[in-house]
Amino acid sequence: MTVVIGAVKWSNAVKADASTSDWDADQYLKFEAERTRPAADLLARVPLTEVRRCIDLGCGPGNSTELIRNRFPDAVVTGLDNSPGMLSEARRRLRGLAFEEADITTWWPGERFDLIFANDVLHWLPHQQPILTRLVSFLNHGGCLAVQVPNNVDDPARRALEDVASEGSWAGKLSAASVTEMGSGSIDRYYACLQGTGCTFDLWETTYLHPLAGLEAIVEWFKGSELRPYLQLLNDGERREFLDRYRARIAKAYPAQEDGKVLLRLQRAFIVATRSQTRKSFAPWPTDTGTGQRKTRVVEMETMAV
C-alpha cells in the first residue's frame, strides 16, 4: 500500500496566554486521588515489560508522570503539556525528569517511543482521529499508545454547562467554550480510526463513582477542568452569576446521600493500542529541519491483516 504524506507545517510549541487560559494546578489537585485513579487503571493495562523511552502527553501537574516513572524506573520519561502552571508543579514534584512545553497538535518528536501515554487530554483537541493516527506513527515497533478520555458529554453536570452558557447574556462569547465543540470522540470513532493503523488494541469503558462532600465539591471539581474555559471568558460579576445558575441547575441531579455526600458519576473510555512488530509506517520527521516544513513524501507500507 502506498501512502502520500502531504506537506504539513511543523513547529515548536504554541504557548497559551497564561494570564487568560493557563490551568490552575492547585485547583486541579484538590481531587488528586480521584483524578489519578483512571491514569493508574490505564497504565495497569499496558502490556509492556521493558521500556526505554516514554512520554506523558498532557502530563498536567505530574501525577500521571509519577505513575509511569514508578512503573518503568529505568526508562527515560518525559512529560509534555502546554500549561506553564501545570509544568511548574510537575517540575517541582519530579525534579529528576524532563518536562517540555508544547502543543500536541503541532508536536513532532525527534525520536520514537516505546510508550506514549495520553491520559485525559485528547478530548480537548479538535480532529482527534488524525492526531491518534499520528501518535501511533511515533511509536517503536511493539510500542504502546495508551489513551483515556471522558465519555460522558451527556451527563447532568456537562449538560448544565451548555444550558447555562447558552441562556445568559454571555451566550455569544461563551459559544467557543462549548463542551461539544471540544471534539469529544466517541469510542466508535476511535475504534474506526485504530482499525486503519494496523495496531492490535484493547478498548473499554469504566464508570467511576466519586463520593464528594456536597454540591459545592462538584463545582470545585469542574472548576479544575470543564468549567475553566467558560469562567476565563467572564468578568467577576458574570462569573459569580454563572456559578450561581450552575449550582441551581445541577442541584436536582445530585441529591445528597444519607451521609451528606453526593455521588459524581463519570464515564471514561480507555484505549491501549500496540503497534505491529512487522508493519512499516511513515517516519514523521522532516527531511530538512532547517525549513520548518515537512516535505511531501511517498512511503511504501506493508499491508497486514488485523
Side-chain angles (χ1 to χ4, degrees):
M1 177 171 61
T2 302
V3 176
V4 179
I5 304 171
V8 179
K9 187 179 173 96
W10 71 292
S11 66
N12 292 329
V14 176
K15 289 190 176 182
D17 181 353
S19 65
T20 60
S21 61
D22 197 18
W23 288 74
D24 185 336
D26 292 336
Q27 182 71 39
Y28 184 87
L29 290 173
K30 285 182 178 180
F31 303 95
E32 179 176 356
E34 293 86 352
R35 294 191 188 278
T36 304
R37 184 178 170 188
D41 292 345
L42 176 62
L43 186 61
R45 297 283 283 270
V46 171
L48 301 175
T49 56
E50 294 185 8
V51 171
R52 292 171 298 173
R53 292 180 55 82
C54 43
I55 190 160
D56 185 11
L57 301 181
C59 65
N63 52 320
S64 54
T65 319
E66 187 171 20
L67 295 175
I68 298 169
R69 192 273 312 270
N70 292 343
R71 167 83 182 271
F72 302 111
D74 297 327
V76 176
V77 179
T78 303
L80 181 146
D81 207 288
N82 70 344
S83 164
M86 287 292 203
L87 289 171
S88 177
E89 173 60 23
R91 292 179 179 122
R92 184 201 64 78
R93 179 178 189 143
L94 299 167
R95 298 185 183 277
L97 300 187
F99 290 92
E100 177 184 352
E101 185 179 340
D103 182 340
I104 296 172
T105 62
T106 57
W107 173 67
W108 295 89
E111 298 182 72
R112 296 189 190 275
F113 296 89
D114 300 305
L115 172 62
I116 297 177
F117 198 78
N119 177 68
D120 207 16
V121 63
L122 294 187
H123 62 291
W124 293 102
L125 306 177
H127 313 302
Q128 295 164 51
Q129 284 70 49
I131 292 174
L132 201 67
T133 302
R134 184 163 56 87
L135 293 179
V136 169
S137 77
F138 297 152
L139 291 170
N140 286 317
H141 297 299
C144 285
L145 170 65
V147 173
Q148 181 271 121
V149 290
N151 196 36
N152 55 332
V153 172
D154 292 328
D155 73 17
R158 291 172 184 265
R159 286 200 306 268
L161 288 177
E162 295 295 317
D163 292 343
V164 174
S166 64
E167 293 171 359
S169 58
W170 46 61
K173 63 181 174 181
L174 292 187
S175 60
S178 170
V179 170
T180 57
E181 292 300 317
M182 288 194 303
S184 294
S186 72
I187 199 71
D188 302 78
R189 292 200 296 273
Y190 284 132
Y191 178 83
C193 174
L194 288 168
Q195 280 285 327
T197 65
C199 290
T200 58
F201 51 90
D202 188 13
L203 301 90
W204 72 97
E205 292 178 340
T206 300
T207 299
Y208 292 87
L209 295 174
H210 300 299
L212 302 182
L215 197 67
E216 192 60 31
I218 292 181
V219 176
E220 290 300 307
W221 176 289
F222 286 106
K223 276 185 181 179
S225 53
E226 280 78 359
L227 268 170
R228 185 188 65 89
Y230 293 87
L231 298 181
Q232 71 186 16
L233 296 174
L234 302 175
N235 60 41
D236 290 343
E238 290 172 329
R239 194 174 297 118
R240 286 191 294 270
E241 183 180 354
F242 186 96
L243 290 174
D244 286 343
R245 293 192 189 187
Y246 182 67
R247 291 184 189 96
R249 186 62 63 95
I250 66 174
K252 291 183 179 180
Y254 298 98
Q257 305 298 306
E258 290 185 2
D259 60 358
K261 293 186 177 181
V262 295
L263 294 179
L264 178 62
R265 291 174 171 83
L266 296 177
Q267 187 179 63
R268 297 181 180 274
F270 297 79
I271 304 166
V272 175
T274 303
R275 185 176 176 189
S276 164
Q277 291 279 4
T278 58
R279 176 171 175 163
K280 296 178 182 178
S281 64
F282 67 85
W285 301 283
T287 55
D288 181 2
T289 57
T291 64
Q293 195 84 7
R294 279 181 59 226
K295 296 182 178 180
T296 301
R297 291 176 289 159
V298 177
V299 181
E300 296 295 329
M301 300 176 65
E302 296 175 355
T303 59
M304 172 186 169
V306 179

